[in-house]
Amino acid sequence: IWLLNGMELVRDEFTMDELETYKRRFFLPEAEFLIEKVGVTPNIICWMKAAAGMIGLFFNERKWCELAAEGEYGIKKKLSDGLLPQGFWYEASFHYHFYCAEGMTYYLAFCKLYGYEFPEMEDALLRMYRYPVMYAFPNGEFPNPNDGWPLLKFGNYAHQYEWIRNIHDEAAYRYALAQCYDKEDTGRADANIGGVSRLLFGRNWEEERFDGELRGKGLPDAESRVDPDIHFALLQNGDASVFLKYGFVLRGHSHADIMNFELFYKDEVISRDISNSGYGSDLFREWQRKTIAHNSVMVDKLNQPNRPVGRIEEFDRENSSCRVAADDVYDGIHYARRLQLHEDRLEDEFQAIPAPGHEEEH
């Protein structure tokens, strides 16, 4: 994908013989490999099939586009299985949500450039980039349930929002980009002032305004919301926000953290999910993915063993409250948590409920 993005920028510099050599000796064998490769995680499958489709467009061999889209391991099937109704990727991690979208975003740019219609992928991607705008904290940081990396925010995915905004311009993507970049005069060595994508498509996003006619067009509205398909709730009241995760879709990339919440107030996340410092780290394996590192409850000093599907039992948008529950977090022990967010405090009621026949002390 990166090779093709670069080659597209300088395509006129290649001779026809050079392009034919690259196609025959590298790209078409690679497309065949990518189409035949199965048995890897769905987000990586999406990258591989997107690369095969881009090869088909760049070299005018469109059969690879069809092969990339169709079949049990095609993009259509993976999006149908993995993208939930509100637009979040089923692995329940903001990092993996963006990671899954990235390769297909470049493919969509090629589809537009070469006049190839792929409406299923386009619709999916537009929804995938809208979703984080509605669930981000007001300072641009994301909640961080399950595997990801610490302190994720819009700026970590600025290049992706530049590409999708260039493909399809809408207020939600402009809002994200307005929070992506640091001012150049901060003096910080790690200041994010953008990269190639900003040079290609960018503008002075600091001057972007979101009032008047833009209100209500996929922009944050300070309203509480819930996504029962991925088991997320976001309560908002004044300067405060609470993100709650109350269930699981799958075990992969999950942490033992059912009923975990993160709390934002005024301009910072004051109780955060520390997420993941790397898969090879003992800190990750023995602390960060376990119950003890989260705002939840342990029974008998044991890590939560099960990954139950949670349910929303009450949700009151006007009063910024919810009650959620999950069965068999531990064998025979159910959980329920009720949160109500006020302007100046968070009310939290947590219940560990033994099932009949499991009333013995723990």
Side-chain angles (χ1 to χ4, degrees):
I1 286 176
W2 294 120
L3 284 170
L4 289 167
N5 281 345
M7 290 173 70
E8 180 61 44
L9 289 173
V10 296
R11 184 174 189 132
D12 292 343
E13 302 299 318
F14 296 112
T15 67
M16 294 300 294
D17 286 344
E18 286 175 319
L19 290 174
E20 182 63 27
T21 298
Y22 300 148
K23 179 176 78 168
R24 179 172 50 84
R25 297 191 60 187
F26 177 73
F27 282 102
L28 290 190
E30 184 70 13
E32 185 175 2
F33 167 78
L34 292 170
I35 291 299
E36 291 181 353
K37 183 67 175 174
V38 297
V40 296
T41 58
N43 54 47
I44 294 175
I45 283 283
C46 289
W47 271 89
M48 298 170 83
K49 305 311 178 190
M54 289 174 68
I55 290 169
L57 292 175
F58 188 87
F59 291 104
N60 197 28
E61 297 268 356
R62 295 199 172 189
K63 71 173 186 178
W64 300 108
C65 303
E66 301 303 317
L67 291 169
E70 305 296 341
E72 183 179 357
Y73 295 95
I75 290 174
K76 289 182 183 179
K77 182 69 163 60
K78 294 304 171 187
L79 289 174
S80 175
D81 291 347
L83 191 61
L84 298 173
Q86 289 192 23
F88 201 64
W89 184 245
Y90 78 124
E91 289 179 286
S93 155
F94 279 83
H95 165 72
Y96 282 103
H97 176 85
F98 281 107
Y99 176 73
C100 179
E102 186 176 2
M104 292 184 290
T105 305
Y106 307 127
Y107 183 23
L108 180 60
F110 264 48
C111 289
K112 295 297 184 182
L113 187 65
Y114 285 91
Y116 183 79
E117 296 294 324
F118 197 162
E120 296 89 349
M121 185 176 73
E122 181 170 3
D123 173 71
L125 285 169
L126 297 181
R127 292 191 292 124
M128 290 180 81
Y129 283 108
R130 290 171 189 145
Y131 190 100
V133 173
M134 302 306 291
Y135 278 85
F137 292 123
N139 68 342
E141 286 189 42
F142 298 123
N144 217 349
N146 304 304
D147 282 349
W149 313 112
L151 304 175
L152 296 178
K153 54 188 178 181
F154 282 115
N156 294 93
Y157 307 100
H159 55 295
Q160 293 180 230
Y161 273 107
E162 291 282 10
W163 279 83
I164 197 66
R165 204 283 311 176
N166 186 66
I167 295 167
H168 185 88
D169 193 2
E170 61 179 67
Y173 309 152
R174 291 168 178 255
Y175 174 87
L177 285 162
Q179 299 197 62
C180 278
Y181 300 116
D182 300 314
K183 293 182 179 179
E184 295 186 43
D185 58 1
T186 60
R188 287 173 35 216
D190 63 343
N192 178 17
I193 61 172
V196 172
S197 58
R198 196 179 188 192
L199 287 172
L200 289 173
F201 312 126
R203 56 197 288 171
N204 187 359
W205 294 110
E206 292 178 1
E207 296 181 358
E208 200 75 17
R209 296 292 178 263
F210 303 95
D211 49 21
E213 63 184 34
L214 291 179
R215 282 295 174 193
K217 295 187 177 181
L219 297 176
D221 53 13
E223 294 285 333
S224 298
R225 52 182 37 87
V226 63
D227 185 346
D229 297 294
I230 196 69
H231 314 300
F232 290 168
L234 181 68
L235 304 179
Q236 303 194 87
N237 193 336
D239 290 331
S241 302
V242 171
F243 174 83
L244 172 67
K245 170 195 163 184
Y246 60 89
F248 299 87
V249 175
L250 78 166
R251 196 174 186 96
H253 287 307
S254 71
H255 290 196
D257 63 350
I258 198 165
M259 304 298 171
N260 183 57
F261 74 81
E262 297 180 65
L263 178 61
F264 173 92
Y265 185 63
K266 287 192 174 178
D267 59 359
E268 65 178 329
V269 184
I270 60 175
S271 182
R272 70 175 68 252
D273 188 328
I274 54 180
S275 191
N276 178 353
S277 61
Y279 295 118
S281 166
D282 288 339
L283 183 67
F284 166 66
R285 289 191 297 271
E286 299 302 327
W287 174 262
Q288 292 169 335
R289 75 180 336 174
K290 292 192 172 182
T291 311
I292 197 170
H294 296 87
N295 285 323
S296 188
V297 167
M298 297 173 68
V299 174
D300 298 334
K301 301 182 181 180
L302 299 175
N303 199 48
Q304 294 175 0
N306 301 328
R307 298 293 187 272
V309 174
R311 61 186 181 275
I312 187 92
E313 297 194 326
E314 299 173 12
F315 176 66
D316 187 337
R317 179 176 284 107
E318 184 175 340
N319 291 303
S320 304
S321 69
C322 67
R323 186 181 190 275
V324 297
D327 296 334
D328 286 313
V329 179
Y330 294 79
D331 293 342
I333 299 177
H334 314 321
Y335 276 6
R337 192 166 205 167
R338 180 186 178 277
L339 297 177
Q340 182 164 8
L341 182 63
H342 301 269
E343 288 190 359
D344 61 349
R345 69 193 186 280
L346 173 65
E347 292 183 10
D348 178 12
E349 177 186 299
F350 200 119
Q351 293 177 285
I353 307 164
H358 292 265
E359 292 88 354
E360 68 273 15
E361 287 190 9
H362 290 274

